[in-house]
Amino acid sequence: MKIKDYYQQTKPVVSFEFFPPKKEAAIDTIYQTLEELKGIKPDFISVTYGAAGSRADNKTLELASMIKKEYGIEPLHHLSCIANTNEEIQQLLADIKAGGVENVLALRGDLPADSETCSSDFLYAKDLIASIKENTDFSVGAACYPEGHIDQLAGVENIEHLKAKEDAGADFFISQLFFENDVFYRLMEDARNGQVSAPISAGVMPILSRGQVEKMIFMCGTSLPSELIKIIHKYEHSIEDLRKAGLEYSLKQIEDLLDHGVDGVHVYAMNRPVVAKEAMSLLRGS
């Protein structure tokens, strides 16, 4: 089933994000998480793309195919384009199709360290989206940024880029994580005022450690509300207490998002069964 169809049939659409473990043994964590979700399936699970987009080393397709074949959950295969030629992208799409996956999240990806010498047929995610739509029948999702992309200073550019992705063929959007729901609600208002009509899922990530938060701030430009800063300060020396408080905070976010009737909720589950299970229980009311 195409993910775009879920947004026409279900509200809210419930989804999770997993990533292929770097160590083979760690794949058991994902199996455990999926087993716990058997009785209360999310609508889809997105799988992040490996470094440099290597066909040989990347485990994204292997995991995405397993999610569909073994668990009957629709997968969303992340695909970044900044360091790939058109020929390489078309081969990757053929591999994804052969693996039984019908949905792709089209991303620009992070610029390589040697970006000055980086050659690519795709400069932006909108270019990749247009190519996928022109050459395949994939359902295509795209990213959106409640606080703007880390490379953007002007807020108006954020909505212009969102509209460009939709015009290129994006069927739905998944937001980058945020910690203050009003930020997402402003994005939704600006998007609709900017004639962006595609459904948008709200991205929520539980805080698991202080280091995780610091990384998100500098990599994504995500801001922290005072309540969350106080939680991190209070529990920074107790890992388990911080994880518990961080999960409780994200569940409060989800509850408020549901009350506001959002199109979907996308949980960055960090491959942790407890995160997926607790969020799923709230989202499905079980």
Side-chain angles (χ1 to χ4, degrees), residues 10 13 15 51 69 87 91 97 107 123 156 213 219 222 264:
T10 306
V13 170
S15 55
K69 294 174 183 177
E87 182 179 359
Q91 184 58 63
K97 189 72 172 180
L107 306 163
L123 295 179
V156 65
V213 176
M219 284 187 62
T222 306

Side-chain angles (χ1 to χ4, degrees), residues 23 70 113-114 117-118 124 142 158 170 174 183 185 190 209 224 231-232 247 266:
K23 296 181 179 180
E70 299 297 327
D114 58 344
T117 61
C118 174
Y124 304 105
N158 193 29
I174 296 175
V183 170
Y185 301 143
D190 291 344
S209 69
L224 295 181
I231 289 173
I232 295 168
L247 180 55
H266 185 73

Side-chain angles (χ1 to χ4, degrees), residues 170-184:
D171 297 307
F172 59 93
F173 293 97
I174 296 175
S175 90
Q176 188 179 73
L177 63 98
F178 56 90
F179 297 115
E180 191 168 11
N181 287 2
D182 283 346
V183 170
F184 180 77

